Amino acid sequence: MIAEVIVDISTAEVDRIFDYAFDDESVRAGCRVLVPFGNRRIEGYVIGIKERSDVPAVKLKSVAEVLDDRPVIGQEMLALMRFMCERYHLRVVDALRLFIPAQMRGGRIKELKKRFVRVADEYVAKDENTFIRAGAAAQREVFAFVKNNGEADTAYLGREFSAAAVRNLIDRGVLAVFEKAQRRTPYAAAQGKAAEVTLTPDQQNIVQAVCGAAGQTFLLHGVTGSGKTEVYMRCIADTLARGKTAIMLEPEISLTPQVLKNFRARFGDRVAILHSGLSAGERFDEWRRLLCGEARVAVGARSAIFAPLTDLGLIVIDEEHDASYVSDSNPRYATVEVAAFRARSNGCNLLMGSATPSVESYHKAETGEYKLLELGERIAGRPMPDIEIVNMCEELRNGNNGFFSRRLQSALEDCMRENNQAIVFINRRGYASFLMCPSCGYVAKCERCDVSLVYHRDEHALKCHYCNNRYAPPAACPQCGHSHLRQGYMGTQRVAEELKKMFPHKTVLRMDNDTTQGKDAHLEILRRFGAREADILVGTQMIAKGHDFPDVTLVGIVDADMSLHFADFRAAERTFQLITQVAGRAGRDTKKGRVILQSYSSNHYVYRLAAHYDYRGFFRKECNLREVTKYPPFARIVRVLVTSEQEEEAFRVLKADFDDMNALARENNDCFAYLSAMKSPLKRIQDKYRVQIIARIVKDFDALLPKIYAICDAHASGKATCFVEIDPSNMS
Ligand code: ADP
Ligand code: ZN
């Protein structure tokens, strides 16, 4: 028989199937194997089995070894692999690698086995004085311990008694050695009992609608604090009760121990957790438990959509609008599309929820493709916090050029006086942003990437956030010689310092990329804030999501505009989502919340609508705008990004692609709303020139996409790389 093997090397040259002969029956589709390749042996995945090969018999090599005793990639996942390769133009191996934890490849991590001993059968009934000398006290102790406990871990015995005595007893056959697999449990401490809540009638209706359907996609639009999580849990419980399995996705940053604890409390060992915070061993074990059916619910971030579960009964995507669900580096894929594929394969429901659904999803709900479910009120009728908008231009005219408006200052004072907690949200990173000359407008930029550099005060350095290059800050403007360079916008650190000055007796915590470098650093910050070890939490996007702090009564949004001025068609949508999410942190318990939003564009419709929690109003306005301008959901954006170390090569490939794209657009002239070639906004990253084609396609997208991939393949060269992105959220 012949195995069709994909070798575990990601290059364009070997992105195809290789045939290997085998006669070992354990070779099956979905197993990993070792195969001879060139002059070495490498790992590969068997993706198919066939009778004969077109490779001449003399050239045909054989499978050297089978690595799995059962398939680790099921039939459904092999079909998903083919779908993803076609849809996203992935190399087969890159798709397969998504399905298997990295730790498993190359056999680096194995099941954790521990050496145990028990008393050997023939010694159980014997008098120990006949085989242990009177003076061998250590041996007696070890023997007695093992006999009393039935079995014991050899490492423990060596530590507590004497390793030499243990070895002696094993060597003489008194103790028999055996191995025991040991499970590495992530968040082992996160146990607890599930709180019993009675569903509200609205929640009840929604759970019934979902559980009574099959093969449907639902969009649950529920304001923050409306009890969406409880709905997900009930639907999952129902799925398990029907003997099926479930996947529950959350944005990475929302997967706090609290969330995981809730799942553990509800579903116990039936839950497996998959996310980047786990150790390699934990990840491996959790994945194995899903594969062998021991765990039946996978909870995790984006990549948990590839959980090796069969017989799926439900897929839940919480915060479906979150940008982290779209992978924007290789391998590129959209989690929602993958989830839809798996739901289709299993005939199961897909439940997506958000307080601020993406415009695309809500549009699908309006046109009937998704079924819309709504939770319009917070649990227990708790009011949404009031959002007050402060015009910062006016503050400046009144002589206040600090970070905080007078309104926010006095609100902070009230909040601190009443012994409540406050969150101050900043949409930036670092001490201050770019370095600018107020006299001539010069801004320090990265020599390799052509982006503004960010000033980091800790290191007194300018850094490029794209390539990590660092530069010494110039003492004077290199362009005009002006000696008072200004640091642009504020960062978390400066705001935190300012707050410490304002409230010397209060504790201020800071959470951003710089303070959360360690594995669990951000969790530690949240834990401390939750335990009331601090009064004010200053942070970036990271603090916007999912955290439940009952004593937080004030949220200050210091520079709301930052995300509004991004060159991204979703800028308004992202800003609306961000404000709603951050505001949702206030007043979640019995205390009423208040939100103060500072802006230099305070009349922008996004702020007005967000302040009224008018999602539908926002959606209407945004939708109309996108229909007129032909943006998603009324078009699909395709970006063809060409990168090369040689500028001429990048342009040569770009031109060839562009000529063919133009021809394609002429043949399908009612399908393209826009087509243009240009330099990318970031003209160079890590010494590579970047040029791009952008197209907006209003019709027949699914049919045109393979043709666009074919065009890119036709002109690819060894010296230029070409990526195709669909609806990219980052066009830089
Ligand atoms: P969301 O996910 O919509 O933001 P949550 O599910 O976190 O909302 O619910 C907000 C709070 O209300 C949580 O503390 C949750 O335990 C509680 N809760 C949810 N449903 C109920 C219910 N039916 N009765 C009482 N409390 C509930
Ligand atoms: Zn750079």
Side-chain angles (χ1 to χ4, degrees):
M1 296 291 278
I2 305 296
E4 297 182 308
V5 174
I6 299 293
V7 294
D8 198 6
I9 302 174
S10 180
T11 62
E13 295 79 54
V14 300
D15 182 29
R16 59 189 176 87
I17 294 171
F18 292 92
D19 287 357
Y20 286 91
F22 70 92
D23 43 26
D24 182 345
E25 287 201 351
S26 55
V27 175
R28 284 190 277 163
C31 286
R32 293 170 312 139
V33 288
L34 278 182
V35 290
F37 196 80
N39 49 15
R40 59 194 179 125
R41 274 184 177 194
I42 56 171
E43 243 178 79
Y45 308 89
V46 179
I47 63 161
I49 304 282
K50 58 187 179 185
E51 292 280 333
R52 60 174 56 61
S53 171
D54 295 333
V55 179
V58 285
K59 282 191 154 180
L60 193 65
K61 294 181 192 162
S62 297
V63 171
E65 197 182 328
V66 191
L67 295 172
D68 298 305
D69 47 13
R70 65 156 116 189
V72 292
I73 302 168
Q75 286 300 326
E76 183 205 338
M77 300 309 274
L78 289 172
L80 176 61
M81 166 199 90
R82 287 186 287 272
F83 165 78
M84 291 182 73
C85 289
E86 214 166 276
R87 180 74 182 177
Y88 307 116
H89 208 44
L90 302 183
R91 288 179 195 141
V92 180
V93 69
D94 289 337
L96 290 171
R97 283 177 177 182
L98 288 169
F99 302 169
I100 298 202
Q103 297 80 12
M104 236 184 110
R105 301 199 307 265
R108 286 189 300 272
I109 306 267
K110 300 217 160 49
E111 263 184 305
L112 180 65
K113 295 236 171 84
K114 281 197 171 171
R115 262 159 59 97
F116 274 65
V117 286
R118 63 170 167 260
V119 178
D121 292 344
E122 61 267 40
Y123 287 90
V124 173
K126 266 192 200 165
D127 173 8
E128 65 180 70
N129 292 311
T130 64
F131 55 88
I132 301 181
R133 281 186 300 109
Q139 289 187 26
R140 275 177 194 275
E141 275 177 14
V142 170
F143 184 80
F145 183 86
V146 176
K147 194 167 178 174
N148 288 338
N149 287 280
E151 61 182 45
D153 177 349
T154 50
Y156 176 83
L157 291 174
R159 224 171 30 241
E160 295 297 313
F161 302 99
S162 143
V166 176
R167 219 172 312 122
N168 179 299
L169 292 171
I170 292 173
D171 288 348
R172 290 197 289 126
V174 176
L175 296 180
V177 177
F178 64 101
E179 288 197 325
K180 235 170 124 168
Q182 217 54 23
R183 180 180 155 207
R184 289 153 287 203
T185 316
Y187 303 103
Q191 306 287 356
K193 244 187 111 48
E196 281 298 323
V197 299
T198 311
L199 293 184
T200 63
D202 283 351
Q203 285 175 318
Q204 186 69 44
N205 288 338
I206 288 173
V207 171
Q208 265 166 13
V210 175
C211 297
Q216 271 252 33
T217 301
F218 295 94
L219 179 64
L220 170 55
H221 176 212
V223 299
T224 55
S226 59
K228 295 187 288 298
T229 310
E230 189 60 35
V231 167
Y232 304 146
M233 297 252 198
R234 294 294 172 107
C235 293
I236 292 171
D238 175 82
T239 306
L240 294 180
R242 285 185 286 119
K244 297 190 177 264
T245 64
I247 295 176
M248 166 87 215
L249 303 183
E250 294 271 1
E252 180 86 47
I253 201 81
S254 314
L255 281 170
T256 58
Q258 188 54 47
V259 170
L260 301 174
K261 197 165 149 186
N262 290 346
F263 276 95
R264 267 277 160 68
R266 192 68 62 103
F267 301 110
D269 271 350
R270 288 176 298 175
V271 172
I273 290 157
L274 299 171
H275 82 104
S276 62
L278 304 190
S279 71
E282 287 169 346
R283 215 175 151 73
F284 176 88
D285 286 357
E286 292 295 88
W287 189 84
R288 292 288 302 198
R289 293 199 315 120
L290 290 164
L291 182 69
C292 71
E294 206 179 296
R296 307 177 58 77
V297 184
V299 177
R302 176 172 81 203
S303 61
I305 194 59
F306 303 112
L309 285 165
T310 49
D311 212 9
L312 280 174
L314 179 69
I315 300 173
V316 179
I317 304 182
D318 189 23
E319 312 271 11
E320 66 83 34
H321 65 276
D322 196 87
S324 72
Y325 286 124
V326 176
S327 163
D328 59 4
S329 59
N330 189 44
R332 295 175 159 80
Y333 64 91
T335 309
V336 172
E337 286 181 343
V338 174
F341 181 92
R342 293 202 73 179
R344 235 179 1 260
S345 307
N346 288 275
C348 78
N349 291 325
L350 171 58
L351 171 59
M352 301 191 280
S354 173
T356 50
S358 67
V359 171
E360 283 103 319
S361 293
Y362 203 81
H363 180 70
K364 285 184 178 164
E366 281 212 321
T367 56
E369 192 174 328
Y370 297 167
K371 176 138 183 45
L372 185 65
L373 305 167
E374 290 178 290
L375 284 174
E377 281 180 11
R378 280 189 161 182
I379 289 292
R382 277 165 211 152
M384 301 299 289
D386 289 330
I387 301 182
E388 304 160 43
I389 302 169
V390 177
N391 180 345
M392 290 305 278
C393 300
E394 217 163 83
E395 286 290 311
L396 203 61
R397 279 198 292 277
N398 289 324
N400 176 8
N401 61 358
F403 300 139
F404 305 114
S405 57
R406 287 155 304 169
R407 180 113 56 106
L408 182 52
Q409 279 176 36
S410 80
L412 279 165
E413 279 158 15
D414 292 348
C415 175
M416 291 299 106
R417 190 171 347 97
E418 288 156 15
N419 249 329
N420 287 318
Q421 287 180 296
I423 288 179
V424 175
F425 173 74
I426 295 153
N427 199 359
R428 291 202 75 79
R429 178 188 170 200
Y431 176 71
S433 166
F434 48 82
L435 205 63
M436 195 183 89
C437 171
S439 156
C440 76
Y442 162 86
V443 173
K445 286 193 169 180
C446 175
E447 287 165 12
R448 298 168 69 189
C449 302
D450 196 37
V451 295
S452 302
L453 295 168
V454 177
Y455 181 69
H456 286 246
R457 202 183 67 150
D458 307 16
E459 304 163 51
H460 188 55
L462 287 165
K463 280 210 239 175
C464 170
H465 281 192
Y466 282 86
C467 72
N468 259 334
N469 243 11
R470 37 187 306 149
Y471 303 80
C477 175
Q479 207 161 270
C480 74
H482 186 85
S483 60
H484 286 89
L485 294 186
R486 207 190 73 169
Q487 287 150 22
Y489 290 90
M490 71 207 82
T492 43
Q493 192 178 342
R494 253 171 83 186
V495 171
E497 278 168 13
E498 192 67 31
L499 286 165
K500 278 178 198 160
K501 262 187 248 153
M502 282 166 67
F503 303 105
H505 303 297
K506 298 284 181 179
T507 312
V508 179
L509 268 179
R510 177 162 74 94
M511 177 151 156
D512 55 27
N513 281 333
D514 294 328
T515 57
T516 54
Q517 289 300 322
K519 179 172 164 240
D520 288 332
H522 78 284
L523 299 178
E524 177 58 14
I525 295 172
L526 292 174
R527 189 200 60 73
R528 288 179 59 195
F529 191 62
R532 295 234 41 170
E533 285 173 29
D535 306 286
I536 305 177
L537 177 62
V538 179
T540 54
Q541 274 85 327
M542 287 180 193
I543 60 173
K545 297 212 184 82
H547 315 298
D548 225 336
F549 301 116
D551 290 336
V552 171
T553 57
L554 175 66
V555 169
I557 303 177
V558 171
D559 53 355
D561 307 333
M562 286 322 299
S563 55
L564 201 56
H565 299 318
F566 264 42
D568 170 3
F569 75 94
R570 291 194 182 92
E573 181 180 351
R574 294 268 178 249
T575 306
F576 186 91
Q577 287 163 348
L578 214 49
I579 293 168
T580 310
Q581 294 291 340
V582 186
R585 296 315 108 215
R588 287 180 71 86
D589 208 52
T590 44
K591 297 177 182 171
K592 173 110 170 79
R594 182 176 179 195
V595 179
I596 294 178
L597 184 160
Q598 304 188 155
S599 165
Y600 291 91
S601 322
S602 55
N603 288 324
H604 197 285
Y605 69 90
V606 167
Y607 297 132
R608 191 167 28 82
L609 294 163
H612 290 97
Y613 296 97
D614 187 359
Y615 174 81
R616 222 192 283 256
F618 169 75
F619 170 80
R620 272 270 69 78
K621 184 147 182 88
E622 190 67 22
C623 213
N624 291 342
L625 205 65
R626 298 216 197 153
E627 186 160 19
V628 173
T629 53
K630 298 281 180 275
Y631 271 92
F634 301 95
R636 303 301 296 267
I637 302 177
V638 173
R639 164 159 90 154
V640 177
L641 176 66
V642 181
T643 68
S644 174
E645 286 183 8
Q646 296 158 13
E647 198 170 13
E648 320 83 77
E649 181 64 6
F651 277 110
R652 191 193 63 75
V653 173
L654 182 79
K655 181 165 186 328
D657 286 348
F658 190 56
D659 288 346
D660 286 359
M661 289 278 281
N662 260 316
L664 186 68
R666 273 195 304 276
E667 287 163 31
N668 303 274
N669 71 7
D670 52 344
C671 297
F672 282 71
Y674 176 87
L675 179 62
S676 180
M678 67 199 80
K679 288 185 178 173
S680 301
L682 299 177
K683 297 179 196 67
R684 251 173 114 195
I685 293 182
Q686 295 186 349
D687 289 328
K688 283 192 174 162
Y689 290 90
R690 295 153 54 86
V691 291
Q692 64 191 27
I693 297 168
I694 291 181
R696 294 210 303 276
I697 297 175
V698 289
K699 220 180 104 188
D700 295 339
F701 173 75
D702 289 345
L704 290 169
L705 186 61
K707 295 183 182 163
I708 294 171
Y709 286 141
I711 289 171
C712 294
D713 284 350
H715 305 296
S717 76
K719 290 185 226 129
T721 318
C722 185
F723 292 110
V724 176
E725 292 168 299
I726 306 168
D727 297 342
S729 48
N730 179 355
M731 295 268 254
S732 47

